[in-house]
mmCIF file of all heavy atoms in Angstrom:
data_model
loop_
_atom_site.group_PDB
_atom_site.id
_atom_site.type_symbol
_atom_site.label_atom_id
_atom_site.label_comp_id
_atom_site.label_asym_id
_atom_site.label_seq_id
_atom_site.Cartn_x
_atom_site.Cartn_y
_atom_site.Cartn_z
ATOM 1 N N GLU A 267 -35.372 -69.186 45.901
ATOM 2 C CA GLU A 267 -35.547 -70.022 47.062
ATOM 3 C C GLU A 267 -35.406 -71.519 46.919
ATOM 4 O O GLU A 267 -35.354 -72.307 47.763
ATOM 5 C CB GLU A 267 -36.888 -69.693 47.782
ATOM 6 C CG GLU A 267 -38.121 -70.053 46.896
ATOM 7 C CD GLU A 267 -38.543 -68.819 46.122
ATOM 8 O OE1 GLU A 267 -37.632 -67.911 46.099
ATOM 9 O OE2 GLU A 267 -39.511 -68.827 45.486
ATOM 10 N N GLU A 268 -35.434 -71.895 45.644
ATOM 11 C CA GLU A 268 -35.223 -73.339 45.259
ATOM 12 C C GLU A 268 -34.149 -73.485 44.286
ATOM 13 O O GLU A 268 -34.306 -73.625 43.096
ATOM 14 C CB GLU A 268 -36.558 -73.877 44.688
ATOM 15 C CG GLU A 268 -37.685 -73.849 45.745
ATOM 16 C CD GLU A 268 -38.963 -74.461 45.163
ATOM 17 O OE1 GLU A 268 -38.922 -74.946 43.978
ATOM 18 O OE2 GLU A 268 -40.029 -74.495 45.807
ATOM 19 N N PRO A 269 -32.915 -73.211 44.704
ATOM 20 C CA PRO A 269 -31.797 -73.293 43.656
ATOM 21 C C PRO A 269 -31.632 -74.710 43.177
ATOM 22 O O PRO A 269 -31.579 -75.618 43.853
ATOM 23 C CB PRO A 269 -30.588 -72.811 44.605
ATOM 24 C CG PRO A 269 -30.939 -73.194 45.935
ATOM 25 C CD PRO A 269 -32.464 -72.998 46.038
ATOM 26 N N PRO A 270 -31.471 -74.803 41.830
ATOM 27 C CA PRO A 270 -31.253 -76.074 41.286
ATOM 28 C C PRO A 270 -29.878 -76.601 41.479
ATOM 29 O O PRO A 270 -28.926 -75.868 41.611
ATOM 30 C CB PRO A 270 -31.508 -75.774 39.737
ATOM 31 C CG PRO A 270 -31.008 -74.368 39.562
ATOM 32 C CD PRO A 270 -31.480 -73.673 40.869
ATOM 33 N N VAL A 271 -29.837 -77.926 41.582
ATOM 34 C CA VAL A 271 -28.524 -78.543 41.792
ATOM 35 C C VAL A 271 -27.898 -78.740 40.327
ATOM 36 O O VAL A 271 -28.098 -79.744 39.714
ATOM 37 C CB VAL A 271 -28.651 -79.882 42.521
ATOM 38 C CG1 VAL A 271 -27.139 -80.475 42.734
ATOM 39 C CG2 VAL A 271 -29.261 -79.706 43.756
ATOM 40 N N VAL A 272 -27.215 -77.740 39.852
ATOM 41 C CA VAL A 272 -26.713 -77.752 38.516
ATOM 42 C C VAL A 272 -25.240 -77.631 38.555
ATOM 43 O O VAL A 272 -24.649 -76.783 39.258
ATOM 44 C CB VAL A 272 -27.313 -76.569 37.655
ATOM 45 C CG1 VAL A 272 -26.713 -76.542 36.317
ATOM 46 C CG2 VAL A 272 -28.792 -76.679 37.753
ATOM 47 N N ALA A 273 -24.504 -78.586 37.910
ATOM 48 C CA ALA A 273 -23.060 -78.488 37.821
ATOM 49 C C ALA A 273 -22.642 -78.588 36.391
ATOM 50 O O ALA A 273 -23.369 -79.232 35.509
ATOM 51 C CB ALA A 273 -22.453 -79.541 38.721
ATOM 52 N N ALA A 274 -21.486 -78.147 36.013
ATOM 53 C CA ALA A 274 -21.059 -78.180 34.610
ATOM 54 C C ALA A 274 -20.070 -79.339 34.513
ATOM 55 O O ALA A 274 -19.277 -79.600 35.479
ATOM 56 C CB ALA A 274 -20.433 -76.890 34.208
ATOM 57 N N VAL A 275 -20.124 -80.113 33.458
ATOM 58 C CA VAL A 275 -19.172 -81.194 33.173
ATOM 59 C C VAL A 275 -18.697 -80.987 31.762
ATOM 60 O O VAL A 275 -19.420 -80.774 30.803
ATOM 61 C CB VAL A 275 -19.886 -82.526 33.409
ATOM 62 C CG1 VAL A 275 -21.108 -82.769 32.557
ATOM 63 C CG2 VAL A 275 -18.911 -83.629 33.157
ATOM 64 N N ALA A 276 -17.445 -81.300 31.550
ATOM 65 C CA ALA A 276 -16.879 -81.194 30.215
ATOM 66 C C ALA A 276 -16.257 -82.539 29.894
ATOM 67 O O ALA A 276 -15.460 -83.065 30.617
ATOM 68 C CB ALA A 276 -15.822 -80.106 30.059
ATOM 69 N N VAL A 277 -16.709 -83.162 28.707
ATOM 70 C CA VAL A 277 -16.139 -84.376 28.314
ATOM 71 C C VAL A 277 -15.520 -84.109 26.893
ATOM 72 O O VAL A 277 -16.248 -84.003 25.936
ATOM 73 C CB VAL A 277 -17.164 -85.530 28.227
ATOM 74 C CG1 VAL A 277 -16.510 -86.841 27.794
ATOM 75 C CG2 VAL A 277 -17.716 -85.751 29.593
ATOM 76 N N ALA A 278 -14.237 -84.017 26.850
ATOM 77 C CA ALA A 278 -13.651 -83.640 25.500
ATOM 78 C C ALA A 278 -13.208 -84.888 24.783
ATOM 79 O O ALA A 278 -12.619 -85.753 25.356
ATOM 80 C CB ALA A 278 -12.406 -82.699 25.747
ATOM 81 N N ALA A 279 -13.465 -84.943 23.483
ATOM 82 C CA ALA A 279 -13.016 -85.969 22.646
ATOM 83 C C ALA A 279 -11.500 -85.806 22.277
ATOM 84 O O ALA A 279 -11.140 -84.661 21.948
ATOM 85 C CB ALA A 279 -13.869 -86.066 21.408
ATOM 86 N N ARG A 280 -10.795 -86.911 22.266
ATOM 87 C CA ARG A 280 -9.423 -86.808 21.877
ATOM 88 C C ARG A 280 -9.218 -86.483 20.539
ATOM 89 O O ARG A 280 -8.214 -85.792 20.065
ATOM 90 C CB ARG A 280 -8.734 -88.231 22.106
ATOM 91 C CG ARG A 280 -8.561 -88.563 23.646
ATOM 92 C CD ARG A 280 -7.792 -89.900 23.737
ATOM 93 N NE ARG A 280 -7.631 -90.316 25.145
ATOM 94 C CZ ARG A 280 -8.524 -91.072 25.772
ATOM 95 N NH1 ARG A 280 -9.554 -91.591 25.068
ATOM 96 N NH2 ARG A 280 -8.326 -91.442 26.947
ATOM 97 N N ASP A 281 -10.191 -86.870 19.617
ATOM 98 C CA ASP A 281 -10.096 -86.510 18.150
ATOM 99 C C ASP A 281 -10.428 -85.120 17.889
ATOM 100 O O ASP A 281 -9.927 -84.495 16.911
ATOM 101 C CB ASP A 281 -11.012 -87.425 17.324
ATOM 102 C CG ASP A 281 -10.574 -88.841 17.466
ATOM 103 O OD1 ASP A 281 -9.401 -89.144 17.780
ATOM 104 O OD2 ASP A 281 -11.476 -89.736 17.280
ATOM 105 N N ASP A 282 -11.294 -84.466 18.725
ATOM 106 C CA ASP A 282 -11.689 -83.050 18.442
ATOM 107 C C ASP A 282 -11.699 -82.326 19.799
ATOM 108 O O ASP A 282 -12.727 -82.109 20.381
ATOM 109 C CB ASP A 282 -13.068 -83.062 17.840
ATOM 110 C CG ASP A 282 -13.477 -81.706 17.362
ATOM 111 O OD1 ASP A 282 -12.588 -80.770 17.499
ATOM 112 O OD2 ASP A 282 -14.628 -81.526 16.953
ATOM 113 N N PRO A 283 -10.539 -81.937 20.326
ATOM 114 C CA PRO A 283 -10.503 -81.285 21.612
ATOM 115 C C PRO A 283 -11.055 -79.932 21.685
ATOM 116 O O PRO A 283 -11.102 -79.381 22.753
ATOM 117 C CB PRO A 283 -8.926 -81.273 21.832
ATOM 118 C CG PRO A 283 -8.301 -81.234 20.594
ATOM 119 C CD PRO A 283 -9.200 -82.097 19.664
ATOM 120 N N GLN A 284 -11.621 -79.366 20.634
ATOM 121 C CA GLN A 284 -12.132 -78.023 20.631
ATOM 122 C C GLN A 284 -13.588 -77.964 21.160
ATOM 123 O O GLN A 284 -14.047 -76.953 21.477
ATOM 124 C CB GLN A 284 -12.151 -77.434 19.197
ATOM 125 C CG GLN A 284 -10.759 -77.271 18.604
ATOM 126 C CD GLN A 284 -10.003 -76.261 19.442
ATOM 127 O OE1 GLN A 284 -10.528 -75.301 19.916
ATOM 128 N NE2 GLN A 284 -8.777 -76.564 19.667
ATOM 129 N N GLN A 285 -14.192 -79.128 21.222
ATOM 130 C CA GLN A 285 -15.637 -79.210 21.712
ATOM 131 C C GLN A 285 -15.683 -79.680 23.044
ATOM 132 O O GLN A 285 -15.072 -80.702 23.338
ATOM 133 C CB GLN A 285 -16.420 -80.061 20.750
ATOM 134 C CG GLN A 285 -16.484 -79.547 19.227
ATOM 135 C CD GLN A 285 -17.225 -78.182 19.208
ATOM 136 O OE1 GLN A 285 -18.079 -77.918 19.998
ATOM 137 N NE2 GLN A 285 -16.780 -77.396 18.269
ATOM 138 N N VAL A 286 -16.462 -79.009 23.796
ATOM 139 C CA VAL A 286 -16.725 -79.469 25.175
ATOM 140 C C VAL A 286 -18.209 -79.537 25.475
ATOM 141 O O VAL A 286 -18.924 -78.544 25.115
ATOM 142 C CB VAL A 286 -16.004 -78.526 26.209
ATOM 143 C CG1 VAL A 286 -16.358 -78.941 27.585
ATOM 144 C CG2 VAL A 286 -14.502 -78.489 26.035
#
Side-chain angles (χ1 to χ4, degrees):
E267 60 270 12
E268 297 180 4
V271 183
V272 179
V275 56
V277 180
R280 293 187 180 89
D281 297 334
D282 189 5
Q284 296 298 320
Q285 297 297 329
V286 178

